[in-house]
Amino acid sequence: MSSSCALTILSKCTVFPHQKSTLPNLKLSISDLNMLCCHYIQKGCLFTAPSLPSHTLLTNSLSRALSVFPPLAGRFITDANGHIYITSNDVGVEFIHAAASELRIADLLSPTDVPHYFKELFPYHMKISYDARFSPIMAVQVTDLADGIFIGCAVSHAAVDGTSLWNFFNTFAEVTKGVTGNVSRLPVPDFRRETVLVSNAVLRLPEGEVKVTFNPDEPLRERIFSFTNAAMQKLKARVNHWTQPEKIDGGDGHGDVGAIELKGKQGNDPNRKAVTRNETVDEISSFQSLCALMWHAVTRARKLPETKTTTFRMAVNIRRRIEPKLNDNYLGNAIQGIATRAVAGDVLSKDIRWCAELLNESVKTRDSAKVRLQVLDWEREAKCFPLGNQDGATMRMGSSPRFPMYDNDFGWGRPVAVRSGAANKFDGKMSAFPGREGGGAVDLEVVLAPETMAGIENDHEFMLYVAG
């Protein structure tokens, strides 16, 4: 197919909450303010529906879900001192019903690269989060396909992080499914703002148009690399230097690397220390092992000078890292960026475990004291968090394989796939999704310069773990 699909907008309307909100204005936290210069988050689910759901069913369900999440039906306001709030004034969200009758699920999932026409399945293309002053904080687009349906959501990143977005998406799905059955007990969002993340410091945005800090038009390639649970465990075992069974076979074509090969490599490497699962050493998680593999592969593909400093940034949920702890259902952004740095020569010459240990240490030591220190640093120089890869040696990992993306059953089964739109994408941006089969599988959405993508596709060490 061409790079765009023949999409027709069938209708647009504003959906209001089922009940009036009684919430006070919610002050944006430091984590929220950081995101004002980012694009709206765009996330969506692809379904095979036995019959297309009615427009009325989905708008009624959305209305009821908004009554659980009233800030998403509000707007941003600024007080006389320059502080920004969400006012839950029930002005509603935009609902778009569209059709792409010639587009099939296979057209979306079969190509090696993520098709460009995915961006048309989301509302608010390249919309800046600060625009929620005069635009809806959220919009939902439902697109009827030839053999399925795609539900895409766009929401100001200054109002929610990934945790909050998927909590809402799950609620929307549960309410829709419950229209013809029993609605399960829904988690109640926590709207409290008694946290050190809410500051009296004022963010002064630049005069004129607010823009993202990267070039959204640079040539890029985007792929989904899938890692089965067996591959993830094999990678984790390699990084932790565990003794493995001779063969790990998850039906993914990765069953040919076992203990003999691993132990042989370890025995010839003086920097390795072979350990077993029973030894009391810091265990590197499978996801941190995957991040280390990506850091290694992308650095090699970029062909950087040995002395060039590379940076691997991760967005970390701090709800449970800060004291007093925040509720898991806290609505808003509760994330901080963690940067781990090393020169390219070390990344490529050292053991992958060395990279993984650096990442592990960065995450492990992000405790309440460090969270508060970053808050103080921001208050001294309040500014939006810059996205992009300005130095040509940066990678950024977002989202999480722990998010309940495949729990979104609207009544016609679990999603076939989860995808994101064109928002906030640049060379080196990665987003982690759970694999549809569950059990620890991971789908990694990777955005890279074309020559770098070609490099990792031809990297045997990296592709050894990729399914398919």
Side-chain angles (χ1 to χ4, degrees):
M1 293 187 66
S2 66
S3 61
S4 63
C5 61
L7 185 137
T8 302
I9 301 298
L10 302 178
S11 65
K12 291 184 179 182
C13 67
T14 300
V15 176
F16 304 99
H18 178 65
Q19 297 175 333
K20 292 288 186 181
S21 172
T22 59
L23 281 179
N25 292 341
L26 303 179
K27 191 175 184 180
L28 295 193
S29 72
I30 289 173
S31 287
D32 298 326
L33 295 169
N34 263 329
M35 302 300 176
L36 284 173
C37 297
C38 299
H39 292 138
Y40 273 49
I41 302 177
Q42 293 178 314
K43 293 291 187 290
C45 295
L46 178 64
F47 300 90
T48 54
S51 60
L52 295 177
S54 73
H55 174 278
T56 302
L57 168 66
L58 290 171
T59 54
N60 286 345
S61 300
L62 179 57
S63 174
R64 293 172 62 191
L66 289 172
S67 292
V68 183
F69 290 80
L72 300 185
R75 294 289 188 276
F76 290 171
I77 60 171
T78 305
D79 69 12
N81 296 317
H83 297 124
I84 303 174
Y85 297 78
I86 298 177
T87 178
S88 301
N89 56 2
D90 301 318
V91 292
V93 306
E94 187 169 8
F95 182 89
I96 302 163
H97 185 201
S101 57
E102 296 182 2
L103 191 62
R104 307 185 69 84
I105 290 175
D107 297 324
L108 293 168
L109 301 184
S110 295
T112 299
D113 285 14
V114 175
H116 292 291
Y117 40 78
F118 249 117
K119 67 183 181 183
E120 299 182 43
L121 305 182
F122 290 92
Y124 292 175
H125 179 64
M126 300 295 187
K127 192 173 188 63
I128 301 296
S129 289
Y130 190 44
D131 289 351
R133 294 165 294 156
F134 48 78
S135 295
I137 287 178
M138 186 174 70
V140 175
Q141 178 174 322
V142 177
T143 304
D144 302 336
L145 309 174
D147 57 351
I149 185 172
F150 189 85
I151 300 180
C153 182
V155 59
S156 172
H157 207 334
V160 299
D161 58 11
T163 298
S164 294
L165 172 59
W166 289 109
N167 284 344
F168 169 78
F169 219 124
N170 290 167
T171 298
F172 181 24
E174 282 290 313
V175 171
T176 304
K177 183 171 63 174
V179 168
T180 55
N182 294 323
V183 179
S184 63
R185 187 176 182 85
L186 301 174
V188 178
D190 185 350
F191 304 114
R192 290 176 295 176
R193 288 300 186 263
E194 294 81 17
T195 167
V196 68
L197 298 179
V198 176
S199 171
N200 286 323
V202 176
L203 173 65
R204 303 295 182 187
L205 291 168
E207 295 291 335
E209 183 183 3
V210 175
K211 298 180 180 179
V212 294
T213 56
F214 58 92
N215 177 12
D217 298 318
E218 66 178 325
L220 298 168
R221 282 185 59 195
E222 179 181 347
R223 271 196 67 171
I224 303 292
F225 291 101
S226 295
F227 301 86
T228 65
N229 179 52
M232 292 293 290
Q233 293 307 310
K234 183 174 67 176
L235 178 58
K236 179 179 179 179
R238 173 189 170 186
V239 167
N240 286 283
H241 308 161
W242 289 337
T243 300
Q244 287 187 291
E246 187 167 332
K247 186 174 183 179
I248 296 179
D249 192 351
D252 58 351
H254 298 306
D256 58 341
V257 177
I260 295 175
E261 180 181 346
L262 286 169
K263 289 173 72 176
K265 289 180 178 178
Q266 292 164 4
N268 293 324
D269 188 341
N271 295 319
R272 291 182 182 265
K273 177 186 175 184
V275 298
T276 68
R277 290 175 185 259
N278 296 323
E279 291 188 45
T280 56
V281 296
D282 286 341
E283 179 178 299
I284 307 297
S285 71
S286 58
F287 185 64
Q288 289 169 354
S289 301
L290 178 59
C291 289
L293 181 72
M294 291 301 305
W295 193 3
H296 200 264
V298 172
T299 299
R300 181 159 49 219
R302 283 175 169 167
K303 300 178 181 178
L304 301 171
E306 289 187 358
T307 57
K308 178 71 173 179
T309 297
T310 69
T311 304
F312 195 104
R313 291 188 178 273
M314 305 176 75
V316 176
N317 185 345
I318 58 173
R319 285 169 173 79
R320 292 293 175 178
R321 294 177 181 271
I322 193 170
E323 295 293 344
K325 292 179 172 59
L326 295 175
N327 190 294
D328 289 338
N329 294 321
Y330 170 85
L331 184 75
N333 287 276
I335 52 177
Q336 283 188 345
I338 297 178
T340 306
R341 296 181 174 88
V343 296
D346 283 345
V347 171
L348 296 180
S349 65
K350 304 281 189 181
D351 186 304
I352 286 183
R353 179 179 171 87
W354 183 85
C355 294
E357 285 177 333
L358 290 182
L359 296 170
N360 177 267
E361 184 68 15
S362 295
V363 174
K364 183 176 62 177
T365 57
R366 183 51 57 116
D367 56 12
S368 185
K370 283 199 173 180
V371 170
R372 289 173 176 270
L373 183 61
Q374 189 164 321
V375 168
L376 292 174
D377 288 342
W378 188 91
E379 289 177 328
R380 281 191 288 267
E381 188 181 0
K383 61 182 179 181
C384 287
F385 185 72
L387 292 178
N389 176 27
Q390 284 79 10
D391 65 357
T394 297
M395 303 171 64
R396 296 179 188 266
M397 179 67 74
S399 198
S400 171
R402 294 183 178 181
F403 287 161
M405 302 179 186
Y406 285 95
D407 291 353
N408 292 298
D409 183 353
F410 285 77
W412 51 84
R414 297 169 67 242
V416 176
V418 175
R419 291 292 185 269
S420 64
N424 300 312
K425 289 184 175 174
F426 47 84
D427 177 26
K429 175 65 185 298
M430 298 172 292
S431 296
F433 303 155
R436 187 177 189 274
E437 65 270 30
V442 175
D443 284 343
L444 205 58
E445 178 190 81
V446 179
V447 181
L448 291 170
E451 62 275 13
T452 306
M453 184 70 80
I456 69 169
E457 288 173 331
N458 290 300
D459 187 319
H460 174 73
E461 180 187 40
F462 171 70
M463 293 301 293
L464 178 68
Y465 297 95
V466 177

